[in-house]
Amino acid sequence: MRPVPAPARPGEPPRWSWTLVLPVKGGPAAKSRLLPPPAVDREELALAIALDAVAATAACPHAAEVLVVTSDARVAAGCGGLGVRRLRVVPERAPGAD
């Protein structure tokens, strides 16, 4: 995949921009190998980790667009709550739907 030059302001060199794709699993399948401390809900922790990763990725100055691919409604809602203009949630396709 090649980066696409972003339009530069007059007098500035072209900036490179990327479209970043983050697949995010949610619900009971999220972070299934993670064993949190007894008082911590694994699904809640996985959601927090996912939203932190999305926010960090969206903060990258070279990211023209961030696509989050998920089938989980809570992940999608959480992404919407981040208020990032360049962020788009794309529904995950069903297995075998190629």
Side-chain angles (χ1 to χ4, degrees):
M1 178 165 73
R2 292 181 149 180
V4 178
R9 294 184 183 115
E12 285 186 2
R15 296 170 297 192
W16 294 95
S17 64
W18 297 82
T19 295
L20 305 174
V21 180
L22 284 113
V24 179
K25 216 183 279 185
K31 298 289 182 198
S32 60
R33 292 179 286 176
L34 180 66
L35 183 61
V40 177
D41 181 68
R42 184 179 48 79
E43 287 184 44
E44 292 297 321
L45 180 58
L47 178 62
I49 291 170
L51 295 178
D52 282 351
V54 170
T57 303
C60 174
H62 297 289
E65 183 176 32
V66 177
L67 303 177
V68 176
V69 181
T70 188
S71 60
D72 187 270
R74 290 181 63 206
V75 171
C79 288
L82 294 174
V84 178
R85 201 173 35 115
R86 302 172 291 131
L87 177 65
R88 209 166 31 118
V89 177
V90 179
E92 184 178 7
R93 292 173 63 178
D98 296 327

